[in-house]
Each structure stands twice: as C-alpha cells, then as structure tokens.
Amino acid sequence: MKVGVLTGGGDCPGLNAVIRSVVRKGVQEYGFEFAGLRDGWLGALQGNVVPLDIAHVRGILPRGGTILGSSRTNPFKHEDGVQRIRDTLAAHRMDALVVIGGEDTLGAATELSRQGINLVGVPKTIDNDVRGTDYTFGFDTAVGIATEAIDRLHTTAESHMRTLVVEVMGRHSGWIALHAGVAGGANVILIPERPFDIDQVCAWVTSRFKINYAPIVVVAEGAVPKEGQMILKDRTLDEYGHVHLSGIGEWLAQEIEQRTGTDARTTVLGHIQRGGTPSAFDRWLATRFGLHAVDAVKDGDFGTLVALRGTDIVRIPLDESRGRTKTVDPALYGEFEVFFG
C-alpha cells in the first residue's frame, strides 16, 4: 500500500513529529510506502510529490514547521480540483492520504472523503479550536511562548508604569489568550467568545494604577468590543474566506491611553507563536496522533479523524470536526474573572 501525507493550513510545532511517526510505523510494521505532497492541497492539485521514507524523517522530531511545506489552498476554489487530486493520486499510485490540518483543511478533507477519496485526518492548530478533540498539538507550544512573553512584559511595564497590551492568535476562539493570560498573571483577558466593554477594560486598568501596579491586557486577535465590529488592518481574504486578523491590540492601546490618560503600548506576538521547536507535550501528542492515524489507514477506517479524549486517542467521523469551532465555555472564562482589574 502507498500512502500520501500532506500538511495544510498554517504551520505549527509538532507537524514533523506526526510525519515521522506515520512513516516509521507504516514502514516498519505494515510495509507501507509513503510519499509527501508539497504545500498541502496545492501539491495535490499540482502533482508536486516527493519521496518520504525513514531516511527522510530522521532528526525531524524536535523541528518546528513542516518538512513538506504548507499552504491555505482550498481545492474546491480551483477548477476541476477534485479530479486533479484524483489524477495526482492515480499518477503516483497512492491508495490513501493522511491529511494533517486544522478546521479548513479537515473541512476540505471531509468533502473529499464523501467523494470517495480514502483519507484519515489528524487535527492540528495552535488555536485548539478543532471540534471533537480535547487538545490539538501546537497549542501547548503556543501557550508556552505567549506565557513567556507576558512574563517578560511585566517587568518592562512596571519599569515605565504603563499598560502593555499583548495581542495573541485566536480567530474565533480564545484558548491561547485564556491559558496564557492566566498562566502569565494578566490583569485583563479578552476573548472572541465574550464581546468586551471598553469602559470596563479601562476601569480595570485604572484600578491597577491606583495600587501602583502596571497592568497587562491579553487580547485574542478575534476579540471584538460590544456594539462594535472586528478591528482589522487588512480586509483581504484567503481561499477559505478568512480575513487576515490583527489590529485589535493597537486599537485597545489607543483607547486606553485616550480614556485613562495613561501610557499604553502594544506587543503583537503573531507568528512567533507558530515557530520554533515543539514542547514535550506537543511532540508526545503529535507522535501518538501519527501512530493511530496509520493504524486507521491499515484498518481501512477512512473518513475518520484521530482525536484526544482524556488520555486516549480515539477515532471519530470527520463530519464531527466540521461546523462550529470549539470555543471557550463561558463558565470556564468566568472562573478567572476574579483576577481581572
């Protein structure tokens, strides 16, 4: 059996660990052959296929990014996209695909599975917003990076007695903002699931200055003010119809300065959260996902997604990962409001 592997969407730490474990177990235990499709669905459309064997995956476990490259290509936005993918699989004699991606990549995989393409999905995203799995790999690393940044910003904020607004990733879900904000001792945490009151934010900031303390405000890039709209610098869309987010942190800092008469600055962490070596947990989770994904291929259990439930890796229908993103429960967010202000 020959199996193709692709990584789609935004990169994240742990992708190489999945690739490594899929290939190692597939070759050593099942005698499979593997090939990599370059740059996600783009490689599947263009027939850009590279060899993938044990020699190619040696030493990649601690590396961030993906040795196969990635892109936000939507195969259904390209003429004859499905047929072109079929042609690529046939030309390279691939019997199945392991598709590693987030909500959009897995959404395309779900539709392709319905159209008869044999594939198994592996969930990845630093945002931790894929439904059906308790955690995705990449999230733990991103939270660690954001937490370290917040720790460092505390000292410079205190030195100048100014508010520091930290903008982290999170389009529709505030998992990174909430976890890193709590771990880093932020005084305000703003997430997309809860539209915020700018007057309340400024009140919290003012209360910190009253006790001679410089506040840290952590905001997810997709957070929005009440009775307002998402703050954007760039309104261009990708192939899945998403805008390129960023701008809420700068807007918040300006509003805090104007409303409180105190100094405020913004730090946008951006792609720093995606880069670098994966944490131990993300290497562990990614490796387990890969091992179970290749088992699903061996069993012919196509149209499924490997997922973490508690400490177990299970298989669920790809359909269960589609639709709504996994968002922060309001009750969970409410647990931490005692630390605001």
Side-chain angles (χ1 to χ4, degrees):
M1 190 173 193
K2 188 172 183 181
V3 182
V5 182
L6 68 82
T7 52
D11 68 295
C12 81
L15 286 168
N16 286 324
V18 181
I19 297 168
R20 171 181 175 268
S21 65
V22 165
V23 172
R24 284 285 298 272
K25 186 168 187 178
V27 171
Q28 292 176 195
E29 295 201 10
Y30 301 136
F32 290 168
E33 291 181 63
F34 289 91
L37 288 85
R38 291 285 305 168
D39 303 325
W41 292 122
L42 184 62
L45 292 170
Q46 297 180 342
N48 190 353
V49 177
V50 296
L52 196 58
D53 57 23
I54 289 179
H56 287 97
V57 301
R58 285 198 183 104
I60 68 172
L61 175 64
R63 287 173 55 183
T66 164
I67 61 169
L68 294 177
S70 192
S71 71
R72 295 190 183 277
T73 302
N74 182 349
F76 295 98
K77 293 291 185 180
H78 293 255
E79 187 176 357
D80 298 325
V82 176
Q83 187 56 49
R84 288 164 65 186
I85 291 174
R86 292 185 193 277
D87 291 344
T88 295
L89 298 182
H92 295 272
R93 302 187 307 279
M94 287 187 235
D95 304 293
L97 286 176
V98 173
V99 178
I100 310 165
E103 178 189 13
D104 295 324
T105 300
L106 294 175
T110 302
E111 187 55 38
L112 290 167
S113 176
R114 286 176 180 155
Q115 299 195 32
I117 293 177
N118 295 333
L119 55 83
V120 172
V122 176
K124 72 89 196 146
T125 169
I126 67 169
D127 292 336
N128 196 42
D129 62 356
V130 175
R131 294 183 69 195
T133 184
D134 290 348
Y135 285 98
T136 53
F137 65 88
F139 172 67
D140 184 70
T141 304
V143 168
I145 292 167
T147 300
E148 181 180 353
I150 295 166
D151 286 346
R152 292 176 180 275
L153 290 169
H154 273 291
T155 58
T156 186
E158 292 165 6
S159 296
H160 294 275
M161 285 308 294
R162 61 165 58 120
T163 301
L164 281 180
V165 178
V166 187
E167 182 183 306
V168 300
M169 286 186 169
R171 179 179 297 277
H172 300 299
S173 60
W175 293 106
I176 294 176
L178 184 61
H179 280 242
V182 170
N187 309 113
V188 181
I189 302 170
L190 306 176
I191 61 175
E193 294 88 340
R194 175 82 67 88
F196 62 86
D197 182 341
I198 186 62
D199 291 327
Q200 178 62 74
V201 172
C202 291
W204 283 327
V205 166
T206 301
S207 73
R208 301 308 288 178
F209 280 119
K210 285 181 179 177
I211 59 172
N212 200 34
Y213 190 91
I216 300 288
V217 177
V218 174
V219 57
E221 61 187 355
V224 294
K226 287 182 178 178
E227 300 179 356
Q229 60 183 7
M230 191 173 288
I231 310 299
L232 301 171
K233 285 184 176 180
D234 180 358
R235 295 186 178 274
T236 57
L237 304 178
D238 66 16
E239 291 191 5
Y240 289 96
H242 299 312
V243 294
H244 301 280
L245 294 184
S246 188
I248 185 62
E250 186 176 330
W251 180 86
L252 262 174
Q254 291 174 353
E255 289 293 315
I256 290 169
E257 279 199 346
Q258 292 171 7
R259 292 167 181 257
T260 67
T262 59
D263 199 19
R265 295 288 187 275
T266 306
T267 297
V268 180
L269 296 185
H271 288 80
I272 288 174
Q273 295 157 95
R274 292 192 182 280
T277 187
S279 67
F281 178 81
D282 281 340
R283 298 183 203 191
W284 176 88
L285 179 58
T287 297
R288 292 191 72 199
F289 275 161
L291 296 175
H292 284 260
V294 79
D295 285 346
V297 172
K298 174 65 166 59
D299 295 341
D301 197 3
F302 301 118
T304 58
L305 177 78
V306 293
L308 180 68
R309 298 282 178 86
T311 58
D312 296 326
I313 305 295
V314 300
R315 300 175 196 168
I316 64 173
L318 266 169
D319 268 336
E320 289 190 19
S321 69
R322 293 198 71 185
R324 294 184 300 106
T325 56
K326 184 180 73 177
T327 54
V328 174
D329 188 318
L332 178 62
Y333 180 78
E335 288 181 13
F336 303 104
E337 287 185 301
V338 66
F339 297 110
F340 295 180

